[in-house]
Coordinates of all heavy atoms in Angstrom, one line a residue:
P1 N 119.9 110.8 81.0 CA 119.1 110.6 79.8 C 118.6 109.1 79.7 O 117.5 108.9 79.2 CB 120.0 110.9 78.6 CG 121.4 110.9 79.2 CD 121.3 111.2 80.6
I2 N 119.3 108.3 80.3 CA 118.9 106.8 80.2 C 117.7 106.6 81.2 O 116.7 106.0 80.9 CB 119.9 105.9 80.7 CG1 121.1 105.9 79.6 CG2 119.4 104.4 80.8 CD1 122.4 105.2 80.1
G3 N 117.7 107.3 82.4 CA 116.5 107.4 83.2 C 115.3 108.0 82.6 O 114.2 107.6 82.8
L4 N 115.5 109.1 81.9 CA 114.4 109.8 81.2 C 113.7 108.9 80.2 O 112.6 108.8 80.0 CB 114.9 111.1 80.6 CG 115.2 112.2 81.6 CD1 115.8 113.4 80.9 CD2 113.9 112.6 82.4
A5 N 114.7 108.2 79.4 CA 114.2 107.2 78.4 C 113.4 106.1 79.1 O 112.4 105.6 78.5 CB 115.4 106.6 77.6
M6 N 113.9 105.6 80.2 CA 113.3 104.6 81.0 C 111.9 105.1 81.4 O 110.9 104.3 81.2 CB 114.1 104.1 82.2 CG 113.4 103.1 83.0 SD 114.2 102.9 84.6 CE 113.7 104.5 85.4
L7 N 111.8 106.2 81.9 CA 110.5 106.7 82.3 C 109.5 106.8 81.2 O 108.3 106.4 81.3 CB 110.6 108.1 83.0 CG 111.1 108.1 84.4 CD1 111.3 109.5 84.9 CD2 110.2 107.3 85.4
R8 N 110.0 107.3 80.0 CA 109.1 107.3 78.9 C 108.6 105.9 78.3 O 107.6 105.8 77.9 CB 109.9 108.1 77.7 CG 110.0 109.5 77.9 CD 110.7 110.2 76.8 NE 109.9 110.0 75.5 CZ 110.3 110.3 74.3 NH1 111.6 110.7 74.1 NH2 109.6 110.2 73.3
S9 N 109.5 105.0 78.5 CA 109.2 103.6 78.2 C 108.2 102.9 79.1 O 107.5 102.0 78.8 CB 110.4 102.8 77.9 OG 111.0 102.4 79.1
T10 N 108.2 103.4 80.4 CA 107.4 102.8 81.4 C 106.0 103.4 81.5 O 105.0 102.8 81.9 CB 108.0 102.6 82.8 OG1 108.4 104.0 83.1 CG2 109.1 101.8 82.7
L11 N 105.9 104.7 81.2 CA 104.7 105.4 81.4 C 103.9 105.5 80.0 O 103.9 106.5 79.3 CB 104.9 106.9 81.8 CG 105.7 106.9 83.2 CD1 106.0 108.4 83.6 CD2 104.8 106.3 84.3
R12 N 103.3 104.4 79.7 CA 102.6 104.2 78.5 C 101.2 104.0 78.8 O 100.8 103.7 79.9 CB 103.1 103.0 77.6 CG 104.5 103.2 77.2 CD 104.9 102.0 76.3 NE 106.3 102.0 76.0 CZ 106.8 101.0 75.4 NH1 106.2 99.9 75.0 NH2 108.1 101.0 75.1
P13 N 100.2 103.9 77.8 CA 98.8 103.7 78.1 C 98.6 102.3 78.9 O 97.9 102.3 79.8 CB 98.2 103.6 76.7 CG 99.0 104.5 75.8 CD 100.4 104.3 76.3
S14 N 99.4 101.3 78.5 CA 99.3 100.0 79.3 C 100.6 100.0 80.1 O 101.4 99.2 80.0 CB 99.3 98.8 78.3 OG 100.4 98.9 77.5
W15 N 100.6 100.8 81.2 CA 101.8 101.1 82.0 C 102.0 100.0 83.0 O 103.2 99.8 83.4 CB 101.6 102.4 82.7 CG 100.4 102.5 83.6 CD1 99.1 102.9 83.3 CD2 100.4 102.1 84.9 NE1 98.3 102.8 84.3 CE2 99.1 102.3 85.4 CE3 101.3 101.6 85.8 CZ2 98.7 102.0 86.8 CZ3 100.9 101.4 87.1 CH2 99.6 101.5 87.6
A16 N 101.1 99.3 83.5 CA 101.4 98.3 84.6 C 102.5 97.3 84.3 O 103.4 97.2 85.0 CB 100.2 97.7 85.1
P17 N 102.4 96.6 83.2 CA 103.5 95.6 82.9 C 104.9 96.3 82.7 O 105.9 95.7 83.1 CB 103.1 94.9 81.6 CG 101.8 95.4 81.3 CD 101.3 96.5 82.1
H18 N 104.9 97.4 82.0 CA 106.1 98.1 81.8 C 106.7 98.7 83.1 O 107.9 98.7 83.3 CB 105.9 99.3 80.8 CG 105.3 98.9 79.5 ND1 106.0 98.2 78.6 CD2 104.1 99.1 79.0 CE1 105.3 97.9 77.6 NE2 104.1 98.4 77.7
L19 N 105.8 99.1 84.0 CA 106.3 99.5 85.3 C 106.9 98.4 86.2 O 107.9 98.5 86.8 CB 105.2 100.2 86.1 CG 105.5 101.0 87.3 CD1 106.4 102.2 87.0 CD2 104.3 101.5 88.0
L20 N 106.2 97.2 86.0 CA 106.8 96.0 86.7 C 108.2 95.7 86.1 O 109.1 95.2 86.8 CB 105.8 94.9 86.6 CG 104.6 95.0 87.5 CD1 103.6 93.9 87.2 CD2 105.0 95.1 88.9
Q21 N 108.3 95.7 84.8 CA 109.5 95.5 84.1 C 110.6 96.5 84.6 O 111.8 96.1 84.9 CB 109.5 95.6 82.6 CG 108.9 94.4 82.0 CD 108.9 94.6 80.4 OE1 108.8 95.7 79.9 NE2 109.1 93.5 79.7
G22 N 110.3 97.7 84.7 CA 111.2 98.8 85.2 C 111.6 98.5 86.6 O 112.8 98.7 86.9
A23 N 110.7 98.1 87.5 CA 111.0 97.9 88.8 C 111.9 96.7 89.0 O 113.0 96.6 89.7 CB 109.7 97.6 89.7
A24 N 111.6 95.6 88.2 CA 112.6 94.4 88.2 C 113.9 94.8 87.6 O 114.9 94.3 88.2 CB 111.9 93.3 87.4
G25 N 114.0 95.6 86.6 CA 115.3 96.0 86.1 C 116.1 96.8 87.1 O 117.2 96.6 87.2
T26 N 115.4 97.7 87.8 CA 116.1 98.5 88.8 C 116.7 97.6 89.9 O 117.9 97.9 90.2 CB 115.1 99.5 89.4 OG1 114.5 100.3 88.3 CG2 115.7 100.4 90.5
L27 N 115.9 96.7 90.3 CA 116.4 95.7 91.4 C 117.6 94.9 90.9 O 118.6 94.7 91.5 CB 115.3 94.9 91.9 CG 114.3 95.6 92.7 CD1 113.1 94.5 93.1 CD2 114.8 96.2 94.0
L28 N 117.5 94.5 89.6 CA 118.6 93.8 89.0 C 119.9 94.6 88.9 O 121.0 94.2 89.2 CB 118.2 93.2 87.6 CG 119.2 92.4 87.0 CD1 119.6 91.2 87.8 CD2 118.6 91.9 85.6
G29 N 119.7 95.9 88.4 CA 120.8 96.8 88.3 C 121.5 97.0 89.6 O 122.7 97.0 89.8
L30 N 120.6 97.2 90.7 CA 121.1 97.4 92.0 C 121.9 96.2 92.5 O 123.0 96.2 93.1 CB 120.0 97.8 93.0 CG 120.3 97.9 94.4 CD1 121.3 99.1 94.7 CD2 119.0 98.1 95.2
A31 N 121.4 95.0 92.2 CA 122.0 93.7 92.7 C 123.3 93.5 92.0 O 124.3 93.1 92.6 CB 121.1 92.5 92.5
V32 N 123.4 93.9 90.7 CA 124.7 93.7 90.0 C 125.8 94.5 90.6 O 126.9 94.1 90.9 CB 124.5 94.0 88.5 CG1 125.8 94.2 87.7 CG2 123.7 92.9 87.8
V33 N 125.5 95.8 90.8 CA 126.5 96.7 91.3 C 126.9 96.4 92.7 O 128.1 96.3 93.1 CB 126.0 98.2 91.2 CG1 127.0 99.1 91.9 CG2 125.9 98.5 89.7
V34 N 125.9 96.2 93.6 CA 126.2 95.9 95.1 C 126.9 94.6 95.2 O 127.9 94.5 95.8 CB 125.0 96.0 95.9 CG1 125.2 95.4 97.3 CG2 124.4 97.4 96.0
G35 N 126.4 93.6 94.5 CA 127.1 92.3 94.5 C 128.5 92.3 93.9 O 129.4 91.7 94.4
G36 N 128.7 93.0 92.8 CA 130.0 93.1 92.2 C 131.0 93.9 93.1 O 132.1 93.5 93.2

């Protein structure tokens, strides 16, 4: 459900900045878990 909420928040009329935020957040989440 968090992933579905993320998709809803990134796929808006002005989607480009939200999509970039989502991509950055995804990389950060991956880095936190792998690094940890």
Side-chain angles (χ1 to χ4, degrees):
I2 296 169
L4 291 173
M6 178 195 65
L7 285 175
R8 287 183 63 194
S9 72
T10 57
L11 301 176
R12 296 181 186 177
S14 60
W15 60 271
H18 302 292
L19 192 60
L20 289 174
Q21 281 185 324
T26 300
L27 291 175
L28 182 59
L30 178 64
V32 165
V33 172
V34 171

